[in-house]
Amino acid sequence: MDTITSMVAEKPVVIFSKSTCCMSHTIKTLISSYGANPTVYELDEMTNGQAIERTLVQELSCEPSVPAVFIGQQFVGGADKVMSLQVRNQLVPMLIRSNAIWVWNRT
């Protein structure tokens, strides 16, 4: 867990992803569409990616393991949780509170 904690420290938005996962791509696109610049870790391209993935599943009960989204250093959840926040208009306020975005104008 220490590895994950250090990877998300001082970063407004972190997404643990796999380059071949369509849901990871969708969540990265959604968050980026608001002007956020998430830190993305592609687990399938990292030498310690399998160990990080195991930690996400075992310590955080993140199932499926990706995407795993942290906003403001707090574990939010996977694609279903992020989409739920989006539908309830709670995603943008979280991004603002974490300083991932400053102002968002609906146009």
Side-chain angles (χ1 to χ4, degrees):
M1 191 65 186
D2 290 340
T3 300
I4 292 174
T5 301
S6 66
M7 293 173 85
V8 303
E10 299 180 26
K11 295 177 179 78
V13 180
V14 174
I15 302 171
F16 291 93
S17 173
K18 286 188 179 176
S19 60
T20 57
C21 175
C22 64
M23 287 310 296
S24 292
H25 175 75
T26 300
I27 296 304
K28 290 184 286 189
T29 301
L30 172 65
I31 290 174
S32 296
S33 74
Y34 291 113
N37 187 19
T39 299
V40 178
Y41 295 106
E42 300 290 358
L43 298 180
D44 57 332
E45 298 175 356
M46 299 171 63
T47 55
N48 62 341
Q50 287 183 336
I52 294 169
E53 186 173 6
R54 269 193 307 280
T55 301
L56 290 169
V57 172
Q58 293 170 354
E59 302 289 328
L60 297 173
S61 300
C62 189
E63 196 61 50
S65 58
V66 294
V69 179
F70 289 76
I71 298 176
Q73 294 81 43
Q74 299 297 312
F75 178 60
V76 172
D80 57 340
K81 180 64 176 178
V82 174
M83 294 307 291
S84 176
L85 290 168
Q86 168 69 4
V87 167
R88 292 181 288 149
N89 294 316
Q90 295 175 340
L91 181 59
V92 168
M94 285 183 79
L95 294 171
I96 292 170
R97 281 194 305 274
S98 72
N99 291 320
I101 59 176
W102 291 274
V103 179
W104 184 69
N105 291 320
R106 217 178 258 183
T107 55

